[in-house]
Amino acid sequence: MFVFVCAGCGAELTIPLSQVPLPIHARQKYGNGIQLPVLMRSGTFAVDPEPWGGPWRMWDEIDPSEAEARGIYAQVHALSDATPGASVIAPGDIRGTRLIPEERGSACCGVDGADGPNMACDACGLPVASRVDDCSLWQQVRLSSNAVHRVPVDGAQAVLVPWAELAERGEKTPPFEPIATWGGQLGSNHYWSWSPQWEAAAGQALAHLLVASQGQPVEVPDGLVADVFQRALDALIPAGSPRRRAVLAGPGRPCPDADVDILLVPLHPQTGGPWTPAGPTTSAYLVPLPLGVWLWLVSPQPYLPVPASGRMPKDVLRDDPLPQLSNALFRADRGTFQHILARLPAVRSPWLRTIAENLAQGALVEFL
Ligand SMILES: [Zn+2]
Ligand SMILES: [Zn+2]
């Protein structure tokens, strides 16, 4: 475990924290005027290898070889020149800091750290972190890599949970959830929609599915997997045959057939690494999904828990009120899709480069 301290005066700035992978939805900008929850679980931190906020440089000001050295292989709108490597934590885990109100910048309902650190060390005044809680952003505090040090402290070492246990007891992420609007007017201040986490997860997976397709149509399993991916795949990949087949694979699942081209596999919530099939190495492409989303896809819960009054026997499935669903078709998160696709070296192939350029120019809004 680690405690983060101020690089200026050594004051402690966090509670003890253990490291986890950065959630894929960390940089998501969801909807308009939406209140998103806290990104990180309390007691954890993650390192974001990418910069956050300005100063920005537009794509035509950037040499392609510089972009490639930063791991970006396709056109994007603009690149951030901020310092990368922030440690991302839950706002409730910060200690001994105060907000710098002048650094509010152009944020809307909250603050977003887009103009640089907006939190200072209370002891010495050094700007040390950015609080992000503006509408449509996941709430987080980003400790600047050049203003804090990470100090090891005693604490229970997290034991690596085996895949079999994760498959049995891992926490599922439901595909629909109530979305809170900011400062709701009279009446309801929430509506039911596809989960923002699912949309970000699908954005990441869709970028990998395109690479895995090698430009050939891809067929995913019927049901929820098809609801999430098939429409975008059919729209983005040129029609023709033969089709490549993608299946769900992972702990507790039957061994996939040898002729399957693409495996949708879970990511380990502690290491961030994908599940890999045992036995002889498969040539199948592994498409990553967050564990909670993957668990739901392999064994969906028929009904979502819905608040209810009155007494009802525990083992009875309610059909009144009906489960809350979204009234819209699923759309993968465009920003996450674009972010990941631009960072996969295979995007340099002509057909994928065209998709990346269309995205950067604001096209393809029908599907993403
Ligand atoms: Zn300080
Ligand atoms: Zn706002």
Side-chain angles (χ1 to χ4, degrees):
M1 294 183 103
F2 298 92
V3 160
F4 289 83
V5 302
C6 171
C9 70
E12 285 193 4
L13 297 176
T14 68
I15 63 166
L17 304 169
S18 45
Q19 188 167 5
V20 295
L22 186 72
I24 185 60
H25 47 279
R27 324 180 65 80
Q28 183 176 25
K29 196 163 174 51
Y30 180 84
N32 186 13
I34 302 303
Q35 275 195 65
L36 287 180
V38 171
L39 175 69
M40 302 298 297
R41 198 183 288 266
S42 178
T44 67
F45 76 95
V47 175
D48 187 349
E50 301 267 348
W52 175 274
W56 294 95
R57 269 188 301 153
M58 303 308 287
W59 182 249
D60 53 17
E61 300 170 65
I62 298 157
D63 189 76
S65 63
E66 186 202 337
E68 231 177 273
R70 286 174 62 170
I72 296 157
Y73 305 101
Q75 181 180 352
V76 290
H77 182 64
L79 273 188
S80 165
D81 272 343
T83 309
S87 293
V88 185
I89 68 170
D93 289 349
I94 194 92
R95 296 289 181 271
T97 59
R98 57 186 157 79
L99 280 171
I100 313 173
E102 308 84 74
E103 289 297 333
R104 191 167 170 276
S106 54
C108 173
C109 304
V111 290
D112 66 4
D115 300 325
N118 57 22
M119 300 179 85
C121 168
D122 208 15
C124 75
L126 181 74
V128 286
S130 293
R131 182 175 175 125
V132 179
D133 59 13
D134 203 6
C135 46
S136 298
L137 297 174
W138 287 83
Q139 297 173 44
Q140 55 196 287
V141 166
R142 305 176 61 89
L143 298 158
S144 310
S145 60
N146 53 4
V148 300
H149 296 311
R150 198 162 97 180
V151 180
V153 292
D154 289 343
Q157 276 305 321
V159 181
L160 200 66
V161 182
W163 277 114
E165 197 178 323
L166 289 171
E168 235 169 70
R169 280 198 281 277
E171 199 181 319
K172 291 180 184 177
T173 310
F176 301 104
E177 60 181 79
I179 305 292
T181 52
W182 198 283
Q185 295 144 4
L186 287 178
S188 170
N189 59 356
H190 74 268
Y191 61 93
W192 281 77
S193 184
W194 288 97
S195 152
Q197 291 186 59
W198 273 63
E199 295 188 6
Q204 178 184 42
L206 188 59
H208 283 276
L209 279 167
L210 287 195
V211 171
S213 76
Q214 299 175 1
Q216 293 167 10
V218 172
E219 190 178 289
V220 300
D222 286 341
L224 196 49
V225 187
D227 290 347
V228 168
F229 292 114
Q230 199 67 62
R231 198 169 66 97
L233 286 171
D234 291 347
L236 293 170
I237 299 175
S241 54
R243 287 173 90 79
R244 287 171 75 78
R245 198 152 64 91
V247 301
L248 288 161
R253 301 276 304 167
C255 196
D257 299 342
D259 64 337
V260 171
D261 309 291
I262 303 164
L263 305 179
L264 294 154
V265 300
L267 293 171
H268 197 286
Q270 290 168 294
T271 67
W275 176 89
T276 47
T281 357
T282 162
S283 59
Y285 188 111
L286 303 182
V287 171
L289 285 168
L291 178 72
V293 171
W294 183 87
L295 283 171
W296 190 287
L297 285 173
V298 296
S299 70
Q301 262 171 255
Y303 286 83
L304 298 175
V306 171
S309 58
R311 285 167 155 270
M312 172 72 91
K314 237 179 97 192
D315 50 353
V316 169
L317 273 180
R318 290 198 71 125
D319 59 0
D320 177 31
L322 287 167
Q324 307 271 0
L325 305 172
S326 169
N327 59 6
L329 290 174
F330 183 85
R331 280 169 181 255
D333 183 62
R334 181 185 177 91
T336 310
F337 172 65
Q338 190 179 6
H339 183 90
I340 297 293
L341 185 64
R343 284 158 179 77
L344 296 173
V347 75
R348 288 174 291 196
S349 68
W351 79 278
L352 282 176
R353 194 184 324 133
T354 307
I355 291 177
E357 284 168 2
N358 285 337
L359 280 170
Q361 285 152 21
L364 303 175
V365 285
E366 314 91 276
F367 323 109
L368 294 155

